[in-house]
Structures are given as C-alpha cells and as structure tokens.
Amino acid sequence: MDSVRRALREGEIKKDMYERLECAECGEQLVTKNEPDEVGSIRACPECGQEWRQLP
Ligand SMILES: [Zn+2]
C-alpha cells in the first residue's frame, strides 16, 4: 500500500481547497479507517476502494 505522501506526489490523491484529501480519480473525499494494529491510519476512497497509509 502506498503512503498518502507518495500518492499526493504521484497525483493519485489531491487536496481540495480546504486541504482535505480526495481521490484524484473519483473526486471523492477520503474516509479515515482506524486500524489498531497498524502504524498511523488508513485513508480510503469510498468510491473505488483504494487505500493509502497515512503515517503520523
Ligand atoms: Zn477513488
């Protein structure tokens, strides 16, 4: 799974005018999934289901 930082750099994710993350493909705002066993959190697109890891 790619990190949010990398996805931003590669254009898979973009930020809207309020600095919220959205899926570049779908234009949907990403949701946050809390994964207790993972470091950081998972950001997911509710439309296409792609997920990215957000490091603290
Ligand atoms: Zn999407």
Side-chain angles (χ1 to χ4, degrees):
M1 190 188 304
D2 279 354
S3 68
V4 166
R5 184 183 299 235
R6 180 173 173 185
L8 275 169
R9 195 168 62 229
E10 297 187 349
E12 295 175 6
I13 296 174
K14 56 187 182 181
K15 285 183 175 176
D16 70 10
M17 66 180 83
Y18 303 107
E19 295 285 298
R20 293 178 303 207
L21 299 173
E22 62 181 31
C23 176
E25 207 169 306
C26 311
E28 290 288 329
Q29 200 178 320
L30 303 186
V31 296
T32 302
K33 298 165 93 177
N34 289 313
E35 304 282 338
D37 295 337
E38 302 277 350
V39 176
S41 57
I42 304 295
R43 304 302 303 268
C45 173
E47 185 70 26
C48 66
Q50 285 192 86
E51 295 181 336
W52 299 272
R53 186 183 310 279
Q54 186 159 49
L55 299 171

